[in-house]
Amino acid sequence: MQDYVLLMIGAALVNNVILARFLGLCSFMGVTTRLDTAIGMGLATTFVITVSSMVDWAVGNYLLGPYDLWYLRTVTFILVIAAAVQFTELTVRKVSPPLFKMLGIYLPLITTNCAVLGVALILVEHKMNFIEATLFGFSSSLGFTLVMVMFAGLRERLAFSEVPRLFAGPPIGFITASLLALAFLGFSGISTHS
């Protein structure tokens, strides 16, 4: 049980897909101008990563592995992710049309979000079992959502702050993102001493 808790904390905070692995930066910078869109994108991505992690694990262990088709893993995983995104898109459109409109092009682009594919490939690389894969996918996506919401909150505050004209807009966003990434490095215990 303790191993699962550590796996989840590690996936969400220590090896955060955005701030430690630098995956999913397109949606990170694109939809975090408002808190509500960041929450919506985070929840949609959480669903997609969790479901695709479970299905990708099954596909890898029951189809690609036994038939020695690992060279097809990227294409196969993208197909699984695309199906999960399509289901998510249809659900969001039906349940919350305003959120669907706010997310715009970023919702179908979850298919090409490298964070989603990155998590699937990490599962294969570390040879996780089904429970570990599910917990890792869910925790990684919670870490993704956490960072999206934190960054959206910071960007909303920055919108009302006096920022030098040279840094206004995206530049202050990138500076804030880099400071947030440095803050998360404290979780990883990286030391500069040998």
Side-chain angles (χ1 to χ4, degrees), residues 30-40 102 148-149 152-153 155-156:
V31 298
T32 54
T33 54
R34 293 182 46 192
L35 192 57
D36 52 352
T37 56
I39 291 170
M102 278 190 288
M148 294 279 284
V149 169
R155 286 184 79 178
E156 281 188 351

Side-chain angles (χ1 to χ4, degrees), residues 12-69:
L13 300 176
V14 179
N15 294 310
N16 185 278
V17 291
I18 294 176
L19 299 178
R21 297 187 184 269
F22 305 110
L23 299 172
L25 294 179
C26 179
S27 56
F28 175 66
M29 292 304 291
V31 298
T32 54
T33 54
R34 293 182 46 192
L35 192 57
D36 52 352
T37 56
I39 291 170
M41 177 59 89
L43 293 175
T45 305
T46 296
F47 178 77
V48 170
I49 289 178
T50 304
V51 168
S52 66
S53 294
M54 294 186 300
V55 175
D56 286 339
W57 182 90
V59 166
N61 284 283
Y62 295 118
L63 179 65
L64 301 179
Y67 297 104
D68 199 27
L69 298 170

Side-chain angles (χ1 to χ4, degrees), residues 32-182:
T32 54
T33 54
R34 293 182 46 192
L35 192 57
D36 52 352
T37 56
I39 291 170
M41 177 59 89
L43 293 175
T45 305
T46 296
F47 178 77
V48 170
I49 289 178
T50 304
V51 168
S52 66
S53 294
M54 294 186 300
V55 175
D56 286 339
W57 182 90
V59 166
N61 284 283
Y62 295 118
L63 179 65
L64 301 179
Y67 297 104
D68 199 27
L69 298 170
W70 282 112
Y71 61 93
L72 294 174
R73 71 179 172 261
T74 303
V75 172
T76 308
F77 291 172
I78 288 174
L79 288 173
V80 169
I81 292 165
V85 168
Q86 189 64 35
F87 176 77
T88 304
E89 188 176 359
L90 292 172
T91 304
V92 171
R93 180 184 296 171
K94 181 83 171 162
V95 173
S96 179
L99 178 61
F100 178 78
K101 203 169 193 153
M102 278 190 288
L103 291 175
I105 189 67
Y106 291 102
L107 191 56
L109 284 178
I110 293 175
T111 303
T112 58
N113 186 334
C114 56
V116 182
L117 181 60
V119 169
L121 293 174
I122 290 167
L123 299 174
V124 170
E125 180 184 330
H126 291 286
K127 295 178 175 58
M128 297 181 183
N129 64 38
F130 181 75
I131 294 171
E132 290 171 341
T134 303
L135 291 175
F136 182 80
F138 180 68
S139 301
S140 294
S141 59
L142 285 182
F144 179 89
T145 302
L146 171 71
V147 171
M148 294 279 284
V149 169
M150 286 173 46
F151 191 59
L154 290 170
R155 286 184 79 178
E156 281 188 351
R157 298 244 358 212
L158 283 171
F160 296 108
S161 300
E162 281 190 42
V163 177
R165 211 171 51 166
L166 179 65
F167 295 111
I172 195 67
F174 283 111
I175 291 168
T176 305
S178 65
L179 293 173
L180 198 56
L182 284 172

